[in-house]
Amino acid sequence: MSVPEEEEKERRLPLAQRWPRASKFLLSGCAATVAELATFPLDLTKTRLQMQGEAALARLGDGARESAPYRGMVRTALGIIQEEGFLKLWQGVTPAIYRHVVYSGGRMVTYEHLREVVFGKSEDEHYPLWKSVIGGMMAGVIGQFLANPTDLVKVQMQMEGKRKLEGKPLRFRGVHHAFAKILAEGGIRGLWAGWVPNIQRAALVNMGDLTTYDTVKHYLVLNTPLEDNIMTHGLSSLCSGLVASILGTPADVIKSRIMNQPRDKQGRGLLYKSSTDCLIQAVQGEGFMSLYKGFLPSWLRM
């Protein structure tokens, strides 16, 4: 076959076959956008729960910690509706969509590259579980690192409604103003505040998700009357989400608090020196279980 004929044949191929990785990136981004819109109220509720009773605020003389009683998931969600309005359940959804497009697309493309080029399949064309786990963790870390600026803006915008109720000035006029302000105060480095616990969470969540899902699915198919159908996939997802939440919630709490902490004019945090410092202050001031604030909406969302 001549070169022009090969080029003509390639042009007739569907876009998904001509540019497979670009297509997977776009499809992953679209799927993530739909999922984000549907489950974002759970994410907002989770973030608000993670900030409740933050012991480090006492050092700044913030009386909100002592005056506000602790509220669970349902009461927090209802409180947002009653005090701020129903649509505020989606406050911060725009940077969240940006985040998921970058994270999901980047993770998918990286994982495909690692699977096909770096690790490769075994001689029997089987892709071992340990390679899936390592590849998934590495892909999640890279995708999360790239998406950190959007995650930072999302967390801070999710807390704007609470700041308004407490009589504090709002930090941002919108998404793009948030990016510009953070960049002006902290430089490029400021956009990656909280990246260490963020990628730790991504690695732990991907590890728990991938290993548990495959393990539970294989167990159910081999040891129960269930077949490889939607019921089996649903039960496997339920279990994998539980394990992923158990592993990832502590890092998620630390990440959210570091991202939301007040900063000086140079963009330096006023509450925590590092993720380790945040962890120590949370455990000493609020107890070990404070690391699992927001666990239930996090699990339900996964």
Side-chain angles (χ1 to χ4, degrees):
M1 185 180 293
S2 63
V3 174
E5 290 177 343
E6 290 181 357
E7 292 178 350
E8 180 64 26
K9 184 178 179 180
E10 184 177 343
R11 278 196 294 269
R12 291 178 180 177
L13 290 174
L15 290 176
Q17 293 182 26
R18 290 165 62 186
W19 298 299
R21 286 187 180 141
S23 299
K24 287 176 181 177
F25 183 93
L26 291 174
L27 288 171
S28 296
C30 291
T33 299
V34 174
E36 187 65 41
L37 289 170
T39 63
F40 190 78
L42 286 170
D43 188 67
L44 176 66
T45 304
K46 176 203 73 174
T47 302
R48 294 288 181 92
L49 286 168
Q50 289 174 340
M51 303 299 178
Q52 286 193 83
E54 195 170 0
L57 288 174
R59 292 197 292 107
L60 293 182
D62 194 327
R65 176 177 174 254
E66 290 77 14
S67 60
Y70 184 82
R71 300 193 292 190
M73 182 184 74
V74 175
R75 290 182 61 194
T76 296
L78 291 176
I80 293 171
I81 296 172
Q82 294 170 354
E83 297 165 0
E84 304 172 42
F86 178 75
L87 292 180
K88 291 299 182 180
L89 287 172
W90 280 269
Q91 186 168 32
V93 72
T94 301
I97 291 174
Y98 293 166
R99 182 254 178 196
H100 266 284
V101 169
V102 176
Y103 173 69
S104 298
R107 182 181 63 169
M108 179 65 71
V109 172
T110 304
Y111 182 74
E112 290 291 328
H113 178 77
L114 290 171
R115 186 175 67 177
E116 295 173 8
V117 178
V118 179
F119 293 122
K121 294 182 179 180
S122 59
E123 294 180 358
D124 60 354
E125 293 298 310
H126 177 67
Y127 196 66
L129 177 60
W130 70 268
K131 288 186 178 181
S132 295
V133 173
I134 295 176
M137 290 177 66
M138 292 175 64
V141 165
I142 292 172
Q144 191 62 74
F145 181 79
L146 294 174
N148 196 83
T150 55
D151 217 354
L152 174 67
V153 172
K154 181 202 75 169
V155 169
Q156 294 195 9
M157 292 194 71
Q158 285 177 327
M159 296 304 297
E160 289 294 87
K162 184 179 179 183
R163 287 178 62 87
K164 187 175 182 180
L165 290 175
E166 294 173 351
K168 299 176 182 178
L170 297 181
R171 293 174 286 193
F172 313 118
R173 296 191 299 270
V175 178
H176 299 103
H177 177 244
F179 279 111
K181 184 177 180 182
I182 294 171
L183 185 62
E185 293 178 353
I188 294 293
R189 185 177 179 181
L191 290 171
W192 269 267
W195 71 271
V196 173
N198 210 5
I199 66 170
Q200 289 172 342
R201 174 192 174 275
L204 291 168
V205 165
N206 277 279
M207 179 182 69
D209 190 18
L210 288 167
T211 55
T212 307
Y213 183 86
D214 282 343
T215 301
V216 172
K217 188 179 76 170
H218 290 156
Y219 177 83
L220 291 175
V221 171
L222 294 175
N223 298 281
T224 70
L226 292 174
E227 298 178 355
D228 191 356
N229 53 28
I230 191 170
M231 176 66 72
T232 303
H233 288 275
L235 291 173
S236 301
S237 297
L238 190 70
C239 295
S240 66
L242 175 62
V243 174
S245 295
I246 291 172
L247 293 175
T249 296
D252 196 27
V253 171
I254 301 304
K255 177 264 297 184
S256 296
R257 292 188 173 191
I258 288 178
M259 287 182 169
N260 188 61
Q261 68 174 323
R263 299 181 180 275
D264 59 20
K265 294 181 179 180
Q266 287 73 43
R268 293 184 298 240
L270 299 176
L271 296 180
Y272 310 112
K273 300 175 183 177
S274 64
S275 56
T276 303
D277 181 43
C278 181
L279 173 68
I280 293 172
Q281 289 196 50
V283 174
Q284 289 182 344
E286 305 162 55
F288 177 78
M289 292 309 297
S290 66
L291 299 177
Y292 283 91
K293 289 181 177 180
F295 171 82
L296 183 56
S298 179
W299 177 29
L300 293 175
R301 190 163 188 254
M302 288 187 185

